[in-house]
Amino acid sequence: MSLLEVRGLTKVFNRTVRAVDDVSLTIEEGATFGLLGESGSGKSTLARLIPRLIEPTAGELYFDGRPLHNLRDHEMRAMRERIQIVFQNPFSSLNPRMTVRQLIGEPLIIFGRATGSALDARVHEMMELVGLPIEYLNRFPHEFSGGQRQRIMIARALILHPRLLILDEPTSALDVSVQAQVLNLLIDLQKRLGLTYLLITHDLSVVRYMCDQAALMYLGKIIEWGTVDQVFHTPQHPYTQALLADIPSTDPDQRMLERISLESDIFSARWNGHGCRFSPRCPAAQIGACKTSDPSLIPTQAGHRVACHLISTDSATS
Amino acid sequence: MAPVSSTQGALTRWRIEHASQLNDLRRGIYRFTRNWLSVIGLLIVVVLVIIAITAPGWVPYPDDIAGAVDPANRMKPPSAEHVFGTDDYGRDVFSRTMWATRTSLVVGIIILVVAISIGVVLGALAGYFGGWVNQVIMRATDIMLTFPGIFLALAISAVLGRGIEIAMLALSITWWPGYCRLVEAQMLKIREEDFVAGAKAVGASNLRIIFRHILPNLLTGIIVKASMDFGFAVLAIASLSFIGVGVQPPDPDWGSMISQGRRFIPSGWWYSTFPGLFMFVTVLGFNLLGDGLRDLLDPNATVR
């Protein structure tokens, strides 16, 4: 059974902005699921919808087979012991008035799992696990670098022994040299603790490096989803193809040949709500359906799903 | 390393463990002392607090506090015996002015503690929960703000009678909306911070988020406003005493002393002047301290 199942999850802000639009996905226990998208694609909103830090407008959530979407507030609070989240910006996600000891130990206090010396022992253990010197116990967040803060955040998230860890761009606020350290720490922790990751990022290489599954979001919707191999080697959606082609290549001949440029960006290429949401920027030859209906996510081969009229008509005719 | 006794060891360990807090403290003291105005403010406040606490031990004429009358010494100008002179009942103005420091500071503290308790809790609830909770609380706050404090206090004492307790109650009621608005406004901003979402994500309840995570971050603003307000609370209570609904004679109070002394202004200038001077210095001291604290605790507000 899959650890997390999301069905038709939708979040509408201010009655008009469909930040997350009918998203469905499943994550297997022990896997790393990479969710890709550019700024404004709704991926961070999705990250906060799953542990219900913001309330979904519609849709269903199942964790380990148990529904989350209809839990009452206090029941959902209890479930947060199993689902933890690491935020993007370690400079704003740690309470500036709390020491490292308080920050890392707080989840245990909230859930009444340990007090006194047992609590201290657990905090020490977590600091060791994420590679923070014990001497930093009584320091405040502002005394740390971004990478160290993200380690504090990870220790805080893991002290409850969660099964699912949602990583919302865990490295995008960090220096490049520190990014790899944090990613390797996460890989190492996953092996040791048997964690399941939902990794949200805009960095294609991070997904290729860490993930088993990859999905791409565009304007709140998943437009392609498959194994990392499928998505990176046989991308189907014009958006995915354009993104992959934009990764700079070290081979000068290849660089100019295959590059497909996307015009404008996600905000200026306004989708008017009709037809395919990607159609205003789509570099591929468009057919009539692109202007009239929004394609849904359709399987093309085992485990590979694409939302594109060009693909679905291809497979329908052949 | 030289062996240390167990108490020394504990102290050393504490200092190592809390090195960063000690450093922050040292840095804070340095920044505070760089502005000599705030140091003067702090000195004034410290002296006033010492006077308030120790006055019963050393005022030269303690009997005059309770209302002893000495007609032979009526309206004597300042002299070695009575450094601030005597009043129309022959009481020592110096003793009464010193003693009134106690009244003013205690009353100021009570007013602010009550006002802050009400204002902070209501403001926190309004800002955190938003929606109709916010509407109800903030509209009530707006209504309270439309009443001029002194007049409301007058109206309340007209109903409930004169006395310092009633004046304090009335001033507390008019003082909390400021704190309510301050906390609500900052709450609206800070509740969107990532660390609040982070607290929710580790299962914290709403009450824990408000009191453990958000309010400690608003504390500096509240402290600064309170130190500024303190002087004005002292002024307000003196105003009420001046018009006769605050501290009741014969209890000493700056406001009532100024009020009674104004009849003797041309000749007996000392009667009103010394209590007035103390009031002036008190308000000034707390304002300077408040300014200094604001520069210290909220670097963004520094103008220079």
Side-chain angles (χ1 to χ4, degrees):
Chain A
M1 195 184 358
S2 50
L3 185 66
L4 180 75
E5 186 174 351
V6 174
R7 279 192 217 148
L9 199 64
T10 301
K11 177 67 189 181
V12 184
F13 287 111
N14 299 327
R15 295 189 192 165
T16 48
V17 185
R18 301 180 77 84
V20 173
D21 192 357
D22 193 21
V23 165
S24 298
L25 53 85
T26 54
I27 303 177
E28 301 303 318
E29 175 120 49
T32 302
F33 190 104
L35 187 65
L36 280 156
E38 56 191 303
S39 309
S41 60
K43 54 195 194 305
S44 285
T45 305
L46 182 62
R48 287 166 193 233
L49 282 172
I50 289 169
R52 282 180 52 194
L53 296 179
I54 47 181
E55 290 297 321
T57 309
E60 295 171 0
L61 291 162
Y62 297 90
F63 182 76
D64 205 17
R66 292 175 56 191
L68 298 183
H69 51 275
N70 51 14
L71 290 183
R72 302 163 71 92
D73 277 358
H74 68 273
E75 294 168 322
M76 189 60 221
R77 279 221 311 276
M79 283 306 292
R80 296 204 176 110
E81 197 174 357
R82 298 275 156 258
I83 306 172
Q84 281 295 310
I85 180 164
V86 171
F87 293 108
Q88 168 177 12
N89 187 347
F91 293 90
S92 64
S93 54
L94 296 170
N95 188 337
R97 300 272 159 184
M98 289 169 86
T99 60
V100 173
R101 181 207 297 269
Q102 291 168 325
L103 284 165
I104 297 180
E106 188 186 23
L108 285 182
I109 297 170
I110 289 172
F111 283 94
R113 291 287 180 265
T115 51
S117 57
L119 178 69
D120 280 347
R122 292 280 291 122
V123 171
H124 288 185
E125 185 191 326
M126 292 316 296
M127 288 181 75
E128 217 160 280
L129 190 68
V130 300
L132 282 171
I134 305 293
E135 298 90 83
Y136 295 167
L137 211 51
N138 290 301
R139 294 206 185 174
F140 288 96
H142 70 259
E143 298 173 76
F144 292 95
S145 68
Q148 286 172 319
R149 288 185 204 209
Q150 208 57 304
R151 286 172 196 266
I152 299 171
M153 195 68 203
I154 291 167
R156 178 174 155 90
L158 291 182
I159 198 164
L160 287 168
H161 295 306
R163 293 173 66 189
L164 175 66
L165 190 60
I166 301 169
L167 302 157
D168 183 8
E169 304 217 40
T171 58
S172 64
L174 305 178
D175 291 345
V176 178
S177 57
V178 183
Q179 287 186 5
Q181 289 175 17
V182 172
L183 291 177
N184 286 331
L185 171 70
L186 288 169
I187 292 171
D188 178 50
L189 290 172
Q190 183 174 38
K191 278 187 202 139
R192 283 210 253 168
L193 306 172
L195 293 163
T196 305
Y197 287 160
L198 169 57
L199 176 67
I200 292 163
T201 178
H202 59 250
D203 191 333
L204 294 160
S205 51
V206 169
V207 171
R208 186 144 52 176
Y209 183 57
M210 280 190 67
C211 297
D212 312 306
Q213 298 265 310
L216 280 98
M217 261 182 109
Y218 189 83
L219 283 178
K221 205 156 191 167
I222 291 182
I223 49 121
E224 179 156 6
W225 167 21
T227 64
V228 166
D229 270 352
Q230 287 168 335
V231 171
F232 281 81
H233 292 127
T234 55
Q236 303 284 302
H237 199 283
Y239 180 58
T240 319
Q241 290 169 349
L243 287 182
L244 289 172
D246 259 1
I247 297 179
S249 167
T250 45
D251 179 355
D253 296 328
Q254 220 186 3
R255 201 181 314 175
M256 295 317 292
L257 278 176
E258 292 189 10
R259 187 152 185 175
I260 312 166
S261 283
L262 281 178
E263 282 176 28
S264 66
D265 60 35
I266 201 165
F267 297 108
S268 53
R270 270 274 174 244
W271 173 56
N272 59 12
H274 300 290
C276 174
R277 61 192 61 218
F278 186 57
S279 59
R281 291 172 76 191
C282 190
Q286 295 186 22
I287 57 174
C290 297
K291 293 290 172 207
T292 54
S293 71
D294 197 21
S296 42
L297 204 60
I298 291 167
T300 58
Q301 47 173 294
H304 200 173
R305 299 172 177 83
V306 183
C308 179
H309 287 303
L310 300 170
I311 309 297
S312 44
T313 41
D314 277 359
S315 50
T317 47
S318 62
Chain B
M1 208 166 73
V4 283
S5 76
S6 63
T7 50
Q8 264 181 329
L11 183 66
T12 316
R13 199 161 56 241
W14 187 87
R15 282 167 78 163
I16 292 169
E17 274 179 1
H18 295 85
S20 55
Q21 282 95 327
L22 288 170
N23 266 332
D24 284 356
L25 187 68
R26 234 170 272 143
R27 212 170 299 136
I29 290 171
Y30 170 75
R31 274 177 40 208
F32 185 83
T33 51
R34 290 216 328 167
N35 184 352
W36 58 273
L37 279 177
S38 34
V39 177
I40 290 177
L42 181 67
L43 281 178
I44 292 173
V45 169
V46 167
V47 168
L48 286 169
V49 169
I50 291 173
I51 289 175
I53 292 171
T54 60
W58 51 260
V59 289
Y61 299 91
D63 292 344
D64 290 358
I65 307 304
V69 180
D70 182 7
N73 278 322
R74 253 186 112 240
M75 296 309 289
K76 287 272 154 58
S79 64
E81 263 166 80
H82 300 281
V83 281
F84 287 1
T86 63
D87 66 8
D88 49 341
Y89 290 100
R91 297 171 300 198
D92 182 40
V93 174
F94 178 72
S95 300
R96 290 175 62 80
T97 304
M98 292 301 123
W99 201 284
T101 312
R102 284 167 78 76
T103 324
S104 296
L105 294 195
V106 169
V107 167
I109 288 169
I110 294 175
I111 290 173
L112 286 187
V113 166
V114 175
I116 289 173
S117 311
I118 301 173
V120 167
V121 169
L122 287 180
L125 295 177
Y128 186 76
F129 289 106
W132 66 267
V133 180
N134 184 294
Q135 286 299 318
V136 170
I137 293 175
M138 294 322 289
R139 292 304 77 77
T141 308
D142 288 344
I143 292 169
M144 289 307 300
L145 277 172
T146 61
F147 289 110
I150 299 283
F151 288 108
L152 185 68
L154 274 177
I156 290 176
S157 53
V159 176
L160 297 177
R162 296 171 168 204
I164 185 65
E165 296 83 6
I166 288 159
M168 285 193 310
L169 174 79
L171 286 177
S172 306
I173 288 174
T174 57
W175 225 284
W176 64 262
Y179 291 91
C180 187
R181 286 195 141 187
L182 174 80
V183 170
E184 188 243 10
Q186 297 199 4
M187 200 82 176
L188 287 175
K189 191 173 62 146
I190 215 165
R191 71 168 184 185
E192 304 299 332
E193 293 271 343
D194 280 345
F195 73 81
V196 174
K200 201 174 170 190
V202 294
S205 60
N206 286 329
L207 283 181
R208 186 181 178 90
I209 293 174
I210 293 174
F211 289 101
R212 192 82 183 74
H213 289 267
I214 301 184
L215 280 184
N217 284 286
L218 305 185
L219 216 56
T220 57
I222 297 169
I223 290 172
V224 170
K225 184 172 164 56
S227 65
M228 299 279 211
D229 270 3
F230 197 91
F232 295 112
V234 169
L235 265 187
I237 205 77
S239 312
L240 286 180
S241 302
F242 184 85
I243 50 183
V245 296
V247 178
Q248 296 301 307
D251 293 342
D253 176 84
W254 295 334
S256 59
M257 287 169 82
I258 294 170
S259 169
Q260 285 154 26
R262 93 201 122 117
R263 288 179 289 140
F264 305 95
I265 282 285
S267 50
W269 55 272
W270 55 87
Y271 192 174
S272 289
T273 304
F274 288 111
L277 214 54
F278 260 77
M279 211 157 80
F280 164 74
V281 169
T282 306
V283 178
L284 181 72
F286 277 100
N287 270 312
L288 291 179
L289 177 67
D291 271 339
L293 285 178
R294 191 193 53 214
D295 293 347
L296 179 69
L297 300 172
D298 182 8
N300 301 327
T302 313
V303 196
R304 228 172 284 139

